[in-house]
Amino acid sequence: LGRLVKDGMIKKIEEIYLFSLPIKEAEIIDFFLGSKLKDEVIKIMPVQKQTRAGQRTRFKAFVAIGDYDGHIGLGVKCSKEVATAIRGAIILAKLSVIPVRRGYWGNKIGTPHTVPCKVTGKCGSVLVRLVPAPRGTGLVSAPVPKKLLSMAGFEDCYTCATGQTATLGNFAKATSPPLLPPTPT
């Protein structure tokens, strides 16, 4: 896939998603969305493993990446050092970049601005429901989903979350699946 992109056979990133090709190189995303992509570290948390000689501490980084225009990715990486964890999470976020389906609330004037329908995502105990909102409402949500939704290019959206939303990793992961376009059955 990397060679096809380099040789100019694939013109748009949508062609890759159309045929559900797995993206295994972060450079492919850089090639198509490079300058537009913005990444943001959502959280860095220490995680510990108990060993005979005490604890071994590593750092887990959560990074969201998006172009504020219909593409979003979420990366999670654990490493001995913070910088390495962030770098790895950015690469994983690029590999997980997906196109987002946007829609309208009410009449179809201007560009799509909200979620196309009520959608739900779940991870662990956290359940996030995204509801379409009228233009001008803004993103009515907690800070974590608000960041993800704005990165994906949504301007208006109501959200409803249940479960242990303090578990930030699960909260972020539960927010990203509903943004996916629905799979045909």
Side-chain angles (χ1 to χ4, degrees):
L1 186 63
R3 290 199 183 98
L4 289 174
V5 171
K6 193 177 176 189
D7 296 340
M9 302 268 193
I10 298 171
K11 303 279 186 284
K12 295 196 305 282
I13 195 165
E14 276 66 33
E15 291 176 34
I16 296 172
Y17 297 130
L18 185 67
F19 297 107
S20 302
L21 299 171
I23 298 172
K24 295 215 163 61
E25 298 162 65
E27 291 77 18
I28 294 171
I29 299 296
D30 287 335
F31 181 82
F32 288 115
L33 305 172
S35 58
K36 292 186 282 185
L37 276 183
K38 302 273 183 292
D39 53 64
E40 197 158 336
V41 178
I42 298 176
K43 186 176 185 179
I44 294 166
M45 58 188 268
V47 288
Q48 291 182 327
K49 177 185 175 183
Q50 193 70 34
T51 59
R52 275 187 318 190
Q55 296 100 357
R56 191 190 71 196
T57 305
R58 293 163 81 199
F59 297 96
K60 194 174 186 180
F62 295 91
V63 173
I65 198 163
D67 64 351
Y68 294 88
D69 189 29
H71 295 94
I72 182 92
L74 186 69
V76 182
K77 180 75 175 157
C78 201
S79 180
K80 286 179 188 171
E81 292 161 19
V82 176
T84 325
I86 292 172
R87 214 171 303 126
I90 288 172
I91 290 168
L92 288 174
K94 282 180 183 171
L95 294 177
S96 72
V97 164
I98 50 167
V100 166
R101 183 165 172 230
R102 291 176 289 179
Y104 297 94
W105 182 93
N107 50 4
K108 297 170 178 59
I109 301 171
T111 55
H113 60 99
T114 184
V115 283
C117 56
K118 292 178 186 174
V119 279
T120 312
K122 190 175 191 304
C123 181
S125 73
V126 183
L127 193 132
V128 176
R129 186 169 191 233
L130 305 179
V131 181
R135 206 179 281 279
T137 308
L139 296 169
V140 183
S141 86
V144 176
K146 185 178 268 190
K147 201 173 281 183
L148 287 166
L149 289 167
S150 69
M151 280 187 153
F154 290 103
E155 293 154 34
D156 314 289
C157 185
Y158 293 125
T159 61
C160 165
T162 57
Q164 191 71 35
T165 54
T167 316
L168 200 137
N170 285 355
F171 202 9
K173 282 180 191 167
T175 309
S176 35
L179 305 178
L180 281 164
T183 51
T185 50

